[in-house]
Amino acid sequence: MLMAGNRKQTKEPLKIKYKNQIFKYIYLNRESSYKDIAYSLGFSMPTVLTNTKELLDDGFIEEVGFYSSTGGRRAKILAPKKDAFYTIGVNISRNHIGIALVNFCGELKNWRRISYPYIDEENYYETLSDFIEDFIEGNNIQKEKIIGVGYSVPSIIDPEEKVMIKSHVLGLRDILCLRFSKKIPYDSSFINDANAAGYCELSTQRRQDDFVYISLSDFVGGGVFKNGQLYLGDNQRSGEFGHMILVPGGKPCYCGKKGCVDPYCSALNLSSISENNLDLFFHRLEQGDTKYMVAFKTYLNYLATLIINLRMAFDCEIIVGGYVGERLDPYLDELRSIVLKKDTFEEERLFIHTCANKSEVSAYGAALFHMEKYIERI
């Protein structure tokens, strides 16, 4: 009797494992056939049929049509059920709140950016929860379809304890992340804002390789990705590129040091000379205004030095994102040329790319981060 009980106990986790692997395969490939799943995962057809039936019954996947005939019976197409569930991504910054709606296929369906300065008071957290609820209602999403909210915050985060260890930007230290999420009735997760932006690139482009993501927003941050996984470091501080020393003894940084990357490469470096409007800066740059062309050339030179240092440290692709990275496509060749001239080790320049996602990427990435945590439990 004990032996039979043990067999049942070991069999059940294995069944869950099969079901999870099959769903993740369909999710990552966006569409699959029964035969393809069996072949790719090395599962028997009865195992595939049993588990896909459960996934169909649970509403996680659906049959969406047939593949073209190759001479025999046409294979059915299995795909994640796009509108089965949704996640909300929320990006907290010093002066704004970004909110994103992501469907069960990881697609960005809608987003909103609200000007609302952060202040550590109860009214802020109540208003934040109201913004989230209003956003959900405005998109006509049933609340039971919301599987949770992912928060992107400019802070070093202890993911196990859900503690914001330190945020220079928000002026916070050692506070529970629950402070942001306690007023909403949804499961929540938290991720650093720059890491979230990089995670957005990782997930939407389905990358499994190594790359470094640089976030050039009002503050400079980034993420290091190894074999398709976010590397956090021993103290959750990996990717804090904004606080690498770029010019010894140079401009003061908000962190208290001098010469950090941040005062030279943040978006504020550009918008500060165009009435605090980054779009206006790039508009005048496109018009050929000499003042803006000189400022941008200087900016690109500092950015090129940062890229060279990161390339030497990690020897992988560099993706440039954030508010500036979103606007760099017309200037990518110029940036690559500056890097080549400065770096005697490089013979090709195609390791530098601009971000694929341009809209509210930290909120989008936080939603995807939470979605994939949920998927791990299917």
Side-chain angles (χ1 to χ4, degrees), residues 81-93:
K81 192 171 183 179
K82 289 186 178 184
D83 62 351
F85 302 103
Y86 296 85
T87 51
I88 303 296
V90 177
N91 179 50
I92 305 296
S93 70

Side-chain angles (χ1 to χ4, degrees), residues 86-339:
Y86 296 85
T87 51
I88 303 296
V90 177
N91 179 50
I92 305 296
S93 70
R94 180 182 285 176
N95 295 307
H96 296 88
I97 296 170
I99 309 180
L101 173 68
V102 176
N103 71 11
F104 203 42
C105 278
E107 299 168 336
L108 180 64
K109 301 305 296 179
N110 199 3
W111 60 274
R112 183 183 177 195
R113 188 168 177 78
I114 306 160
S115 179
Y116 196 72
Y118 175 77
I119 183 168
D120 186 19
E121 293 181 356
E122 202 65 20
N123 182 63
Y124 176 90
Y125 303 109
E126 291 175 357
T127 303
L128 173 63
S129 66
D130 289 341
F131 283 150
I132 295 170
E133 294 288 8
D134 289 346
F135 181 75
I136 292 170
E137 289 179 13
N139 282 279
N140 297 313
I141 304 298
Q142 298 171 1
K143 291 187 177 182
E144 56 267 27
K145 288 191 172 186
I146 303 295
I147 59 176
V149 179
Y151 290 84
S152 154
V153 291
S155 175
I156 298 168
I157 296 173
D158 181 335
E160 298 298 324
E161 302 296 330
K162 287 194 174 182
V163 170
M164 292 176 61
I165 299 170
K166 187 175 184 179
S167 173
H168 281 293
V169 175
L170 301 182
L172 300 174
R173 180 188 287 269
D174 296 326
I175 72 160
L176 291 174
C177 297
L178 178 64
R179 189 173 300 191
F180 287 86
S181 62
K182 65 182 178 180
K183 294 185 180 298
I184 60 169
Y186 309 106
D187 187 27
S188 61
S189 60
F190 293 82
I191 183 173
N192 170 270
D193 56 349
N195 285 342
Y199 196 86
C200 184
E201 197 77 19
L202 173 79
S203 185
T204 60
Q205 304 307 302
R206 304 177 206 171
R207 299 187 66 134
Q208 295 296 315
D209 57 348
D210 303 344
F211 69 95
V212 166
Y213 185 94
I214 308 172
S215 178
L216 303 172
S217 292
D218 287 350
F219 305 94
V220 177
V224 178
F225 295 85
K226 180 72 176 174
N227 297 325
Q229 299 292 319
L230 175 63
Y231 172 72
L232 292 173
D234 293 340
N235 300 292
Q236 319 299 318
R237 291 200 297 263
S238 175
E240 289 287 342
F241 306 136
H243 303 294
M244 295 168 55
I245 298 298
L246 186 66
V247 181
K251 296 179 183 179
C253 179
Y254 68 90
C255 74
K257 297 190 296 183
K258 289 185 176 181
C260 290
V261 166
D262 197 276
Y264 294 91
C265 294
S266 75
L268 296 177
N269 186 284
L270 301 178
S271 61
S272 63
I273 62 175
S274 58
E275 304 170 31
N276 295 316
N277 187 324
L278 194 61
D279 284 329
L280 179 60
F281 178 91
F282 279 95
H283 175 68
R284 289 177 177 169
L285 180 65
E286 291 167 10
Q287 290 182 321
D289 188 303
T290 302
K291 174 185 174 181
Y292 292 86
M293 292 176 70
V294 171
F296 192 58
K297 184 76 170 181
T298 301
Y299 178 91
L300 288 182
N301 271 281
Y302 285 125
L303 177 57
T305 300
L306 171 63
I307 288 172
I308 290 165
N309 289 339
L310 293 176
R311 175 71 168 179
M312 291 299 297
F314 297 103
D315 193 27
C316 62
E317 290 189 1
I318 309 290
I319 298 174
V320 185
Y323 301 158
V324 176
E326 294 167 8
R327 297 165 169 85
L328 271 186
D329 286 344
Y331 311 100
L332 182 58
D333 285 341
E334 182 180 357
L335 174 61
R336 287 170 168 171
S337 295
I338 295 171
V339 168

Side-chain angles (χ1 to χ4, degrees), residues 21-22 25-26 29 32-49 52 75 78:
Q21 283 184 288
I22 289 170
Y25 182 84
I26 297 169
N29 288 280
S32 309
S33 68
Y34 293 97
K35 185 176 179 180
D36 184 42
I37 295 168
Y39 177 80
S40 298
L41 297 180
F43 294 164
S44 68
M45 187 56 72
T47 295
V48 172
L49 291 172
T52 51
L78 297 169

